[in-house]
Amino acid sequence: MMPEPLRVRSLRRETADTFTVSLDVSDRPGGFPFQPGQFNMLYAFGVGEVAISISGDPARPGELLHTIRTVGSVTEALRRVGRGGRMGVRGPYGRPWPLEQARGLDVVVVAGGLGLAPLRSAILHLLRHREAYGRVSVLVGARTPEGLLYRRELDRWRADPRLKVLVTVDQAGPEWKGHVGVVPALLRDVEMEPSRTVALMCGPEVMMRFTVRELERQGVPDSRIHLSLERNMKCAVGFCGHCQLVPLFVCKDGPVLSYDRLRPFINLREV
């Protein structure tokens, strides 16, 4: 439960309010191993702690990355740490994306806004083990083109013939030549065999609810639709109850949960 102080190697701005921080784990034997979809508790000394998904490559445990949106006092304090400063880290915590269970199946990755950050590690895993999976589609949405994360990496993924990458924004100026509309609409352009498809999804809950409806309409089983949830996680081990969702604790039963478990509770903010 004690945070480990790690030195900041670099901070890279992603959007106006979002940055990616790289933490130095060179003194740790074996680096910082994790599974795609897990999160850490990041501590700004003297300010507080916040749950942040790990956005790095699971095959590169020597590089620990987190993509953080500045939305409050803790995340603002983390942004101000700067290169060479130190952040406290606890983790990794939580259940990962079911990538082993998805082997041999088609995979649809659906990300909205900051939801691409916890899915980045899954996408990198799918690319590294591409021969183990069927068709892989990545659907990405944001409010505006300026809100898209990992712009250069998105361009590389779109150019990779092993993936089908579709990007949309809610609104854009005339300079935007891509799709304008909601993320669920992109599913109409995805080739998949619904009974043999696994969906991995993270983003605003309203987006996820409508995307689930479209996946169900196409015949994807609820047990193969997996969502990563955000709740008010404080302890990360199921003690404090802040993230309780009726019988579930998002920190230890999630953050990745199948929709057949979530269906009765997905509309509830606090219980």
Side-chain angles (χ1 to χ4, degrees):
M1 296 294 291
M2 292 294 293
E4 176 184 357
L6 295 178
R7 185 177 61 84
V8 174
R9 280 179 173 170
S10 65
L11 284 91
R12 181 180 71 247
R13 180 177 173 178
E14 301 287 351
T15 70
D17 61 357
T18 306
F19 64 97
T20 295
V21 60
S22 172
L23 298 175
D24 187 357
V25 291
S26 59
D27 291 339
R28 282 172 133 253
F32 198 101
F34 69 96
Q35 297 181 70
Q38 290 189 300
F39 68 94
N40 283 327
M41 299 298 295
L42 298 188
Y43 187 79
F45 293 103
V47 181
E49 197 174 41
V50 65
I52 301 291
S53 296
I54 305 170
S55 56
D57 187 343
R60 301 177 63 185
E63 182 180 45
L64 181 59
L65 299 180
H66 300 82
T67 299
I68 304 168
R69 175 166 290 161
T70 307
V71 293
S73 59
V74 178
T75 49
E76 175 60 28
L78 292 171
R79 186 189 64 83
R80 292 199 305 264
V81 168
R83 184 176 179 181
R86 291 187 180 270
M87 296 181 185
V89 178
R90 288 196 292 125
Y93 296 112
R95 293 183 180 272
W97 299 109
L99 294 169
E100 286 303 308
Q101 298 92 309
R103 293 174 74 89
L105 305 177
D106 293 345
V107 181
V108 178
V109 177
V110 185
L114 191 61
L116 184 56
L119 282 162
R120 180 178 180 268
S121 56
I123 295 168
L124 294 174
H125 175 93
L126 290 167
L127 281 170
R128 193 174 296 275
H129 304 278
R130 185 64 190 84
E131 71 288 347
Y133 300 92
R135 289 168 289 199
V136 177
S137 303
V138 178
L139 315 183
V140 178
R143 291 179 182 174
T144 65
E146 294 75 24
L148 287 166
L149 293 181
Y150 316 130
R151 296 289 295 271
R152 291 182 181 177
E153 197 161 32
L154 268 177
D155 288 341
R156 290 199 299 271
W157 291 343
R158 291 166 100 173
D160 194 321
R162 299 174 297 166
L163 297 176
K164 180 167 189 173
V165 179
L166 301 174
V167 179
T168 188
V169 295
D170 294 342
Q171 54 185 339
E175 70 282 355
W176 172 254
K177 305 304 180 184
H179 189 276
V180 177
V182 295
V183 175
L186 296 177
L187 285 167
R188 302 166 194 161
D189 297 323
V190 173
E191 293 183 32
M192 59 179 169
E193 185 179 340
S195 63
R196 293 183 51 79
T197 293
V198 171
L200 314 179
M201 194 182 320
C202 187
E205 288 190 9
V206 63
M207 179 219 79
M208 293 197 289
R209 287 197 296 271
F210 280 98
T211 304
V212 166
R213 290 181 193 175
E214 180 62 24
L215 288 166
E216 289 180 316
R217 190 190 67 79
Q218 294 195 26
V220 179
D222 285 352
S223 61
R224 288 191 175 156
I225 301 174
H226 300 271
L227 286 66
S228 181
L229 295 187
E230 289 187 5
R231 284 299 190 274
N232 186 21
M233 292 183 276
K234 295 293 186 181
C235 70
V237 292
F239 286 166
C240 72
H242 280 82
C243 68
Q244 186 172 2
L245 190 61
V246 193
L248 305 171
F249 291 91
V250 174
C251 65
K252 69 181 185 68
D253 297 315
V256 176
L257 290 155
S258 60
Y259 189 67
D260 58 339
R261 298 184 70 191
L262 282 173
R263 178 184 284 278
F265 322 120
I266 188 61
N267 292 316
L268 301 177
R269 291 301 306 176
E270 297 285 348
V271 178

